[in-house]
Amino acid sequence: MIPAIVYIPDGRPRPGELREVALDVLELRPAEVVLPEATVRDERGGRLFDGSTLMFDPAAGGGPLADAAADRQARAFGVTNTAFHVQRALRFASALLGHPLPHLLVRIGMHDQPRRWHGGHYRLPRPSLTDEPATLSFAGEIHLGGGDGFVPAPDGSPYFHAPAHNVAIVCHEVGHHLCRHTADFRLNRLRPPAQQTNRKVALDEGTADVFTAILLGTPDIYGWHRGAIAEWDQRRRKLQPRWTMAHFWGGRDRDPHADGTVWASACWSARERVIATGADAARFDTALLRGMESAGADTGAGAVAETGAGAGAGTGAGAVAGTGAGAGADAVAGTEAEAEGGAGAGADAGAARLTKDALNQRRQFSRLLSAITRADPELAPVVLTAMAEHGIRPGASNTALKDAARADLTGEVGR
Ligand SMILES: [Zn+2]
């Protein structure tokens, strides 16, 4: 255990409170912290750590306007803060699942050319990603930018927006790692390890957001850096009762983060409702994570076994997720075409068509909802009631739920 200073979220729209914590570290390298469950590295080089402590000052995020010493402090703090929250998030998930997730690599200071970046993303190896490093971990990695722009510090002064200082961004990306290795919305485990897909569906984004809300203890997860956006604006991505399937759009051109807010808000409402019955919040969290895991394990049809055999061959022609076929599956799955469209696929049916259907099923909110209720049947009535208020119920496609929610709205207006 190494003493460290990190931000602890306090539910308010700011970075959190600075606190001393103990971090379980296997090895401390010059710009890298190796944890039992993750490796967190600053990719910009130089020596950030030279002792046995991780007690650094956030230095208002450092950045190009700070002097070299302050920027080094801020980078060292960023690695430390990220390491702590990645460890906390992964340990929270593994405690509920009953097993660890695969080792996660986190790389800070990525994609800062040609323009600085204040965002983060989760990446799996895929050959067509020319703007990514040549080798990516098969298990998945998180990339955080070196920072860009300024957000307000608690005292109102400017704070350089380094994503490693932003606990919400870190937790959201860990949420994608959780999704990849449980619900696996894009069936990446059936694809060759070097040819996975990084396209995220709304369920992936929404689940990552509600996971973040659970870890932060607030529905206003991005309140710090999106504080200038009104709470009623969907871009704030605050989880709240107003977001229903009537606000869902679907389709490849739609930002899955915005559509995901509907799912995240419904999950948050269900969790609040569970707490209101006197149950522990962990009851809902466990049902959510175990539901994700069972939804991921449920392969549905023989189609998946067939695909799996092909994928195992790597470059074999039978690998559905291989070269062209993989891209095709992406394009098809990206549309809001529902499963019935697959019936006319005709002669080239086979594995590709079945995979399309399997991917299509995995995008449906109702499928994950059913898995959550099966994970804890006693909670089901409470969860279903809360979800229904967001227009989400079992056994209907996202499109059907959207249409029904909008018809309800029209009815309200016409009354
Ligand atoms: Zn995301």
Side-chain angles (χ1 to χ4, degrees):
M1 288 288 185
I2 295 184
I5 291 178
V6 301
Y7 281 132
I8 298 296
D10 56 7
R12 291 193 276 169
R14 51 182 223 166
E17 275 178 38
L18 277 181
R19 293 244 197 95
E20 188 178 330
V21 296
L23 192 59
D24 186 3
V25 176
L26 292 181
E27 193 183 346
L28 205 51
R29 296 177 184 155
E32 181 175 290
V33 177
V34 183
L35 310 169
E37 49 281 284
T39 298
V40 182
R41 180 195 307 150
D42 189 304
E43 297 280 348
R44 291 164 288 184
R47 172 171 282 273
L48 300 179
F49 311 124
D50 50 14
S52 58
T53 85
L54 290 168
M55 315 273 270
F56 299 101
D57 190 293
L65 302 184
D67 63 45
D71 190 48
R72 180 182 165 280
Q73 281 277 327
R75 283 173 53 201
F77 176 86
V79 175
T80 307
N81 190 57
T82 300
F84 175 79
H85 287 287
V86 165
Q87 181 164 81
R88 177 173 179 256
L90 289 174
R91 290 189 173 184
F92 174 80
S94 65
L96 299 185
L97 290 169
H99 62 78
L101 292 169
H103 195 90
L104 177 60
L105 176 61
V106 182
R107 303 164 78 171
I108 301 170
M110 301 286 285
H111 308 298
D112 271 353
Q113 299 290 335
R115 294 172 60 189
R116 294 177 178 277
W117 186 39
H118 64 225
H121 61 207
Y122 178 72
R123 284 291 178 265
L124 295 155
R126 188 177 183 201
S128 60
L129 280 175
T130 51
D131 56 340
E132 293 291 348
T135 55
L136 295 178
S137 163
F138 288 158
E141 38 188 83
I142 290 173
H143 299 163
L144 300 177
D148 182 33
F150 291 87
V151 287
D155 66 2
S157 60
Y159 193 112
F160 183 63
H161 192 197
H165 290 224
N166 190 324
V167 180
I169 292 176
V170 173
C171 291
H172 176 92
E173 302 308 337
V174 177
H176 285 310
H177 188 60
L178 169 68
C179 286
R180 161 63 184 86
H181 295 287
T182 56
D184 193 13
F185 298 114
R186 306 309 314 282
L187 277 167
N188 272 317
R189 67 193 160 82
L190 298 184
R191 304 173 194 252
Q195 295 173 7
Q196 303 181 57
T197 174
N198 284 299
R199 220 180 77 71
K200 305 288 191 300
V201 295
L203 260 186
D204 207 326
E205 297 300 348
T207 303
D209 269 0
V210 75
F211 182 66
T212 302
I214 290 168
L215 289 164
L216 268 52
T218 174
D220 191 16
I221 45 187
Y222 303 112
W224 180 27
H225 69 284
R226 293 179 184 225
I229 300 172
E231 291 193 17
W232 49 260
D233 189 321
Q234 205 167 1
R235 290 170 301 166
R236 173 85 169 231
R237 277 162 67 193
K238 178 178 179 179
L239 314 188
Q240 51 179 324
R242 66 180 280 124
W243 305 126
T244 73
M245 288 306 283
H247 301 93
F248 180 92
W249 287 88
R252 194 173 176 80
D253 298 334
R254 176 69 177 174
D255 175 8
H257 295 92
D259 279 345
T261 300
V262 176
W263 170 253
S265 298
C267 286
W268 187 256
S269 295
R271 187 174 190 265
E272 295 279 277
R273 207 65 66 82
V274 166
I275 294 168
T277 67
D280 195 305
R283 195 70 191 274
F284 176 81
D285 304 341
T286 306
L288 172 64
L289 266 65
R290 294 198 177 162
M292 288 165 68
E293 184 152 75
S294 75
D298 172 18
T299 51
V304 166
E306 188 182 343
T307 311
T315 55
V320 166
T323 53
D330 271 355
V332 170
T335 70
E336 265 298 318
E338 301 296 340
E340 60 268 22
D348 77 323
R353 181 180 68 82
L354 293 166
T355 297
K356 186 191 110 180
D357 286 350
L359 285 170
N360 185 36
Q361 285 169 16
R362 278 173 188 244
R363 286 188 296 115
Q364 309 305 329
F365 291 3
S366 64
R367 182 172 179 275
L368 185 51
L369 169 58
S370 295
I372 293 168
T373 58
R374 279 196 305 273
D376 191 337
E378 268 183 50
L379 282 190
V382 178
V383 170
L384 288 170
T385 301
M387 287 274 181
E389 287 165 13
H390 289 262
I392 301 172
R393 55 186 165 75
S397 71
N398 293 346
T399 303
L401 293 175
K402 173 182 75 174
D403 292 346
R406 290 188 179 178
D408 278 357
L409 283 185
T410 311
E412 294 282 337
V413 171
R415 232 168 260 159

